[in-house]
Amino acid sequence: MPLSSYGVLAGRLVRFAREDPNDFGSWYHGKMYVAAPAGEYEGAVDVSTPSGVPVEYREVRYLDPELFAATAALPDGWHLLDSTPDSGALDYLRSPLLGSPSGWVESTADNALDLLEQLLTGSRRVYVYGAPYDEGLGVHDIHYNQGDPPGEFQHLDAIWQDGATIIEQPTGELTAFLTKFKPQSLTTDDNGLPI
């Protein structure tokens, strides 16, 4: 069963913040604040867990602008996306835009946030993929949303619903920042379940 809702937020980054690692709940996040017509959205990117489940990240540079053209043409704001290859949705394993799903680095929280902050600095526009908050303006599940082992999250797995942050620089260069939890498999079936 997929996420109850999935889409992309397009807009201008207002600021970036880090949660206090000594004062956070179930997950440790980097927070992006993005301006859109409905107001300022928060985007929460998971970079560490207190449970000891490792988080991994990777950077994908020089995304093909032709493959991204339909999404780049969207106006600022939140856009629902169907979980299909033609909607603009992302899939870490199936999207030609993201290339081979290799090159993952284990997050210490700070190394992931240092890279994300560096990529965001001076950006022209950001595209934040994931699920909308139940209350208020925000996006979460900004990570790989398939390949979970049996347990509390596997019921949310599906293909073409992965979260990510794509950053557009003033030069037009596009870079993706992706995260996943280490136990998630990078080989999945048509339902997003691990093979």
Side-chain angles (χ1 to χ4, degrees):
M1 182 176 123
L3 298 174
S4 59
S5 187
Y6 173 76
V8 61
L9 169 68
R12 178 184 54 80
L13 181 76
V14 176
R15 61 191 169 94
F16 176 77
R18 300 173 190 231
E19 288 181 327
D20 181 345
N22 299 311
D23 184 29
F24 66 94
S26 300
W27 317 98
Y28 177 39
H29 300 102
K31 300 282 187 80
M32 296 175 287
Y33 295 90
V34 178
E40 188 174 282
Y41 280 73
E42 177 182 86
V45 180
D46 300 280
V47 291
S48 184
T49 70
S51 64
V53 175
V55 176
E56 299 175 315
Y57 69 92
R58 71 185 276 248
E59 166 190 21
V60 185
R61 297 183 69 98
Y62 309 112
L63 302 182
D64 186 333
E66 289 186 21
L67 294 176
F68 195 67
T71 303
L74 293 171
D76 287 355
W78 173 255
H79 304 274
L80 286 172
L81 298 174
D82 291 330
S83 294
T84 64
D86 301 323
S87 70
L90 293 181
D91 188 304
Y92 287 12
L93 309 180
R94 297 166 181 84
S95 293
L97 181 70
L98 299 177
S100 169
S102 60
W104 292 94
V105 176
E106 191 158 323
S107 172
T108 64
D110 284 332
N111 62 350
L113 292 178
D114 288 348
L115 176 59
L116 179 57
E117 187 169 20
Q118 174 191 336
L119 294 171
L120 290 168
T121 300
S123 61
R124 177 166 62 194
R125 202 169 190 225
V126 295
Y127 305 85
V128 184
Y129 291 79
Y133 285 0
D134 291 334
E135 294 181 17
L137 298 177
V139 184
H140 65 132
D141 292 326
I142 307 172
H143 51 67
Y144 186 54
N145 289 307
Q146 58 182 305
D148 285 290
E152 65 178 311
F153 299 112
Q154 192 178 72
H155 71 283
L156 298 172
D157 285 357
I159 61 175
W160 295 104
Q161 61 161 23
D162 289 332
T165 304
I166 293 181
I167 300 110
E168 181 182 349
Q169 299 301 335
T171 59
E173 181 184 325
L174 296 164
T175 303
F177 180 85
L178 315 177
T179 59
K180 66 178 283 292
F181 300 98
K182 194 169 186 177
Q184 292 177 299
S185 172
L186 287 169
T187 308
T188 64
D189 64 17
D190 290 343
N191 295 310
L193 298 176
I195 295 176

